[in-house]
Amino acid sequence: MSPSAAARTQPSPAPADPAPPAPGFSSVGTVTNAATVHGVHGAAGRTHWKCFAGRRQLASPTEAVEWASIPPGGTSGEHRHTRTEEIYLVLRGHGVFLFNGLPHPVSPGSLALTASGNAHGLRNTSDTDLDWWVIETLAPNTGAVLSGADRTPEVPAMSEIAIHDLFEERTVSTEGVFDGPLKSIDITDLPAGGQCELGRDDAELAVFVHSGRGLATAADGTAAELAADTCVTLGAGTTTTVEAHSALRLLIVTLAVPGHLQETK
């Protein structure tokens, strides 16, 4: 998403929540106080936008973990990705995902993978707001250039559309579509009173609460309240216990850290 060219209404948001994240987590944020952005990617109208985490909070080559929302009839303008890979995961509402100029209907659970070299956008066709989760990561070629490698970046050719129903499939691998750190997207459902343990040695986890309430507790005892539209990022090599206070649905993205980009599944 990254509406860098758009005119923003006041107040301009910081790249992530202004308060320092809890020590046990890389970042903790909610959609409260989301910015209102006008003209995202050249489209008319407004978008609500919040960045939960970016390069300053994450060890993986991830540009941003964000949330966005457009009102009925609104559009997030079409634009081509030349240096990053990005997912759109529809949380609420219905619309049309535009991929290389062609429309594809989307609804809650629709997961669109956009590899570098492709153009995408999103239009709200419903009578309610269309909310989606956005994660944008650096393609390996871009990362190599930024690290000082003697390489001229090339724009990959356009590819075929890749849209999944995450709520139906429950786990989606990006293998064959993405080459960068974003390896998989999964759902974890917990009943009230249920628990699970989250953490990987080879990857960071971005965790978004789709519905329900609960508590996340890091190994050092740091705790974060979980409610709908809360996003927590967990560092590689850390362990977090999640307890559901009501039926809890977590959306989890695996982001491989340097040294583990190839083997992380």
Side-chain angles (χ1 to χ4, degrees):
M1 165 108 183
S2 299
S4 56
R8 301 178 184 173
T9 61
Q10 57 85 34
S12 286
D17 283 357
F25 309 99
S26 300
S27 69
V28 179
T30 72
V31 302
T32 302
N33 298 322
T36 299
V37 186
H38 291 274
V40 173
H41 298 303
R46 60 184 173 83
T47 299
H48 296 301
W49 172 78
K50 185 67 172 287
C51 182
F52 300 117
R55 291 190 194 181
R56 290 185 296 177
Q57 292 81 28
L58 302 173
S60 62
T62 297
E63 283 278 272
V65 178
E66 305 168 317
W67 170 92
S69 178
I70 46 179
T75 299
S76 179
E78 293 181 76
H79 57 287
R80 191 177 186 192
H81 279 249
T82 59
R83 62 185 185 85
T84 59
E85 301 170 334
E86 187 170 35
I87 64 166
Y88 280 7
L89 175 54
V90 177
L91 304 168
R92 299 172 189 87
H94 294 77
V96 172
F97 180 71
L98 303 165
F99 187 81
N100 295 335
L102 297 178
H104 303 270
V106 291
S107 57
S110 293
L111 171 66
L113 311 181
T114 298
S116 56
N118 297 279
H120 71 179
L122 190 62
R123 183 168 64 244
N124 186 353
T125 59
S126 61
D127 57 3
T128 61
D129 288 351
L130 175 60
D131 302 344
W132 72 103
W133 195 27
V134 186
I135 298 184
E136 186 174 9
T137 59
L138 295 180
N141 190 54
T142 304
V145 172
L146 292 177
S147 67
D150 184 15
R151 182 187 300 185
T152 300
E154 298 177 358
V155 179
M158 291 183 176
S159 58
E160 297 297 320
I161 182 69
I163 296 183
H164 298 263
D165 184 344
L166 181 65
F167 291 178
E168 178 69 25
E169 298 177 45
R170 300 194 61 81
T171 183
V172 172
S173 169
T174 65
E175 186 174 3
V177 182
F178 287 178
D179 296 315
L182 203 164
K183 299 302 182 181
S184 65
I185 306 94
D186 300 274
I187 287 180
T188 292
D189 285 316
L190 295 175
Q195 289 189 353
C196 71
E197 190 173 275
L198 301 177
R200 291 187 58 151
D201 289 336
D202 58 356
E204 298 174 309
L205 299 181
V207 182
F208 189 91
V209 181
H210 181 259
S211 58
R213 302 188 68 86
L215 184 71
T217 306
D220 67 355
T222 303
E225 295 285 345
L226 302 179
D229 298 330
T230 299
C231 185
V232 181
T233 53
L234 313 177
T238 66
T239 302
T240 296
T241 300
V242 175
E243 178 183 358
H245 296 164
S246 65
L248 188 65
R249 168 161 284 191
L250 305 176
L251 313 176
I252 303 171
V253 168
T254 299
L255 299 163
V257 297
H260 298 277
L261 292 180
Q262 299 304 317
E263 67 264 29
T264 301
K265 300 296 184 181

